[in-house]
Amino acid sequence: MRALCCGYQRKEAVPEYVTLTRTEREDLERMAYEKGLYLGDLIGTLLRPEIEKWRREDRPMGHD
């Protein structure tokens, strides 16, 4: 089953927007389709490892 629609309706989901060129957007849409994901879920999947990495980094106090 492909989850191509409405991922933003999931509990605690917050839509976010990214700025891409038209070509990048088209490629991202094709990538999501090939992976069977809603576009927003694909973006979250791609960003999640970087967010986790950032959380583990030592940061100055007051900047977390």
Side-chain angles (χ1 to χ4, degrees):
M1 180 172 109
R2 291 180 182 263
L4 297 177
C5 177
C6 312
Y8 59 88
Q9 294 180 357
R10 292 191 315 197
K11 185 177 179 179
E12 297 188 27
V14 178
E16 190 58 57
Y17 302 93
V18 296
T19 303
L20 301 170
T21 66
R22 183 179 307 272
T23 301
E24 291 167 336
R25 168 67 187 218
E26 291 168 352
D27 288 343
L28 191 64
E29 288 174 336
R30 283 192 282 279
M31 184 179 177
Y33 181 82
E34 287 179 9
K35 291 181 176 288
L37 296 171
Y38 165 68
L39 185 59
D41 290 338
L42 174 62
I43 293 168
T45 298
L46 295 172
L47 289 176
R48 214 165 276 118
E50 289 301 314
I51 293 169
E52 290 301 321
K53 178 182 167 188
W54 174 80
R55 285 178 177 159
R56 290 188 302 270
E57 292 175 355
D58 290 329
R59 293 185 311 279
M61 293 296 288
H63 294 281
D64 47 21

